[in-house]
Amino acid sequence: MVSPRFLTRLMASLGLLAVTLTPALADTTLLNVSYDVSRELYKDINPAFIAQWQARHKERLSINQSHGGSSKQAGAVIGGLEADVVTMNQAPDIDILVERGGLVAPDWRKKFPHEATPYRSISVFLVRKGNPKGIKDWSDLARPGVAVIVPNPKTSGNGRYTWLAAWGYALRQNKGDEARAREFLGKLFANVPVLDGGGRGATTTFTQRGVGDVLVTFENEAVLIDKEVGGGQFDVVYPSVTIEAPAPVAVVDKVVDKKGSREAATAYLNFLFSPEGQEIIAKHHFRPRDAAVLKKYAARFPAVPTFTVESALGGWAKVQKLHFADGGLYDQIVAKR
């Protein structure tokens, strides 16, 4: 066998350029399984994080995305979709990954700041230009002749937050009377002509198919549509009170341990809480956690009274059982449509 040293000497004697061959950079690929209306956000987050990671680690990194209704996405991960991380819009869609198969650590909320929620959004209304139906508050969505577009609360976190925002509003208006709140939800959902599987499908129904007088969606989605899709065709309306929707994130332990991608996956989620990540989040009209960034972009986020599932509705465990379990209030009310 010819030794490498002999070859080097031979090349030198021949006046040839000696090239030192180094091992190719290792490749790491992450899959972020997320909800419908975060597509544009992660299109900007991903390259920013990749640039940072590769500069620090001298390792190639790619990030793939999967988007859909939040609850549908959780089901896909349970069914075998190998997500390194999940970035959802409601805590139950991560809790179920703990309960079914131990995919995520039970203490996932403690792994990152702010109970592992790098940003929040709120539910708002998008109406057609000039607001021809005069829609100002949740009560207007239950009026006869108003067509409301909202995704299915059984498959979409966006739809679930809409349901709970309307429920919380009705309880406030009726001094906690659940019978009156049920009646209100019945009227509102009688005005829903179609239930899309996720927030992006509902957006398409409203903006491209021209169905409905009002789309109930997250603030960031409403602003995006008004600025980039609408061409001046829509207005954003903030109701008198609305629900706050923190967006939780988690590492999928079983997957990262299998792939050896834990370090990159954890760094990716930590990037969301960094000043650079928070800036990108704010630019996409999600409400950042970083106080300095929130102050800088305060003009994007009108002040509006909000409540949370925990503060006003008894927490997610109660909500899931009362509203969204098989045979719960959602099934009882929507079955009558």
Side-chain angles (χ1 to χ4, degrees):
M1 172 181 280
V2 178
S3 71
R5 181 177 295 179
F6 174 80
L7 286 175
T8 301
R9 289 176 176 172
L10 176 61
M11 293 173 70
S13 68
L14 294 175
L16 299 176
L17 177 64
V19 179
T20 301
L21 298 178
T22 57
L25 293 174
D27 285 322
T28 298
T29 300
L30 300 179
L31 173 60
N32 177 6
V33 173
S34 194
Y35 62 104
D36 245 353
V37 300
S38 65
R39 298 169 195 264
E40 285 73 24
L41 169 64
Y42 285 104
K43 283 180 182 178
D44 283 351
I45 287 286
N46 291 350
F49 172 71
I50 288 170
Q52 182 188 96
W53 175 266
Q54 293 183 164
R56 292 178 179 177
H57 295 268
K58 309 304 179 185
E59 175 186 66
R60 284 196 296 265
L61 176 71
S62 58
I63 302 173
N64 295 325
Q65 290 294 128
S66 172
H67 294 273
S70 186
S71 297
K72 270 189 173 181
Q73 292 291 80
V77 174
I78 292 168
L81 182 60
E82 292 197 329
D84 297 87
V85 300
V86 286
T87 57
M88 300 300 196
N89 63 15
Q90 57 175 5
D93 290 334
I94 297 182
D95 284 331
I96 199 171
L97 302 181
V98 178
E99 297 160 9
R100 298 189 184 180
L103 294 162
V104 169
D107 62 346
W108 62 268
R109 289 173 177 80
K110 298 179 181 179
K111 303 289 187 180
F112 299 96
H114 304 289
E115 295 194 317
T117 58
Y119 61 85
R120 300 156 289 168
S121 195
I122 59 175
S123 294
V124 301
F125 308 152
L126 191 71
V127 299
R128 306 207 180 272
K129 192 66 179 178
N131 196 4
K133 292 293 180 78
I135 296 166
K136 297 179 180 179
D137 213 345
W138 295 98
S139 56
D140 296 316
L141 307 190
R143 291 190 342 232
V146 174
V148 182
I149 303 301
V150 56
N152 190 336
K154 279 284 192 175
T155 58
S156 165
N158 191 330
R160 201 160 296 186
Y161 274 117
T162 297
W163 175 277
L164 295 174
W167 177 261
Y169 169 84
L171 289 178
R172 287 188 175 207
Q173 294 296 108
N174 295 287
K175 299 180 180 180
D177 188 332
E178 291 194 358
R180 297 286 296 276
R182 285 181 58 137
E183 180 182 351
F184 175 73
L185 266 291
K187 290 179 179 178
L188 193 161
F189 272 78
N191 285 345
V192 178
V194 58
L195 287 166
D196 292 288
R200 191 48 56 90
T203 294
T204 298
T205 294
F206 183 71
T207 62
Q208 297 184 24
R209 294 175 55 198
V211 177
D213 302 301
V214 54
L215 170 70
V216 186
T217 191
F218 292 130
E219 177 181 39
N220 59 286
E221 178 78 348
V223 174
L224 176 70
I225 295 166
D226 186 45
K227 289 178 63 177
E228 299 184 9
V229 179
Q233 300 177 53
F234 308 105
D235 293 325
V236 180
V237 174
Y238 286 81
S240 63
V241 64
T242 191
I243 198 165
E244 185 177 294
V249 301
V251 172
V252 183
D253 294 280
K254 278 200 170 182
V255 173
V256 298
D257 288 343
K258 174 184 173 183
K259 291 175 55 180
S261 57
R262 179 178 291 277
E263 184 182 4
T266 302
Y268 178 55
L269 295 186
N270 273 321
F271 179 78
L272 299 175
F273 296 90
S274 70
E276 184 179 357
Q278 292 282 290
E279 283 264 351
I280 297 170
I281 283 166
K283 288 176 181 177
H284 282 267
H285 294 273
F286 294 98
R287 298 185 176 219
R289 291 293 191 180
D290 187 290
V293 176
L294 181 60
K295 182 178 180 180
K296 179 179 177 180
Y297 291 92
R300 292 176 179 244
F301 305 113
V304 55
T306 63
F307 60 89
T308 66
V309 170
E310 291 77 15
S311 68
L313 304 178
W316 278 108
K318 178 181 177 181
V319 160
Q320 288 289 104
K321 183 176 180 180
L322 177 63
H323 293 272
F324 305 118
D326 290 343
L329 289 181
Y330 174 78
D331 285 347
Q332 296 170 30
I333 291 170
V334 174
K336 298 177 181 179
R337 292 174 70 238

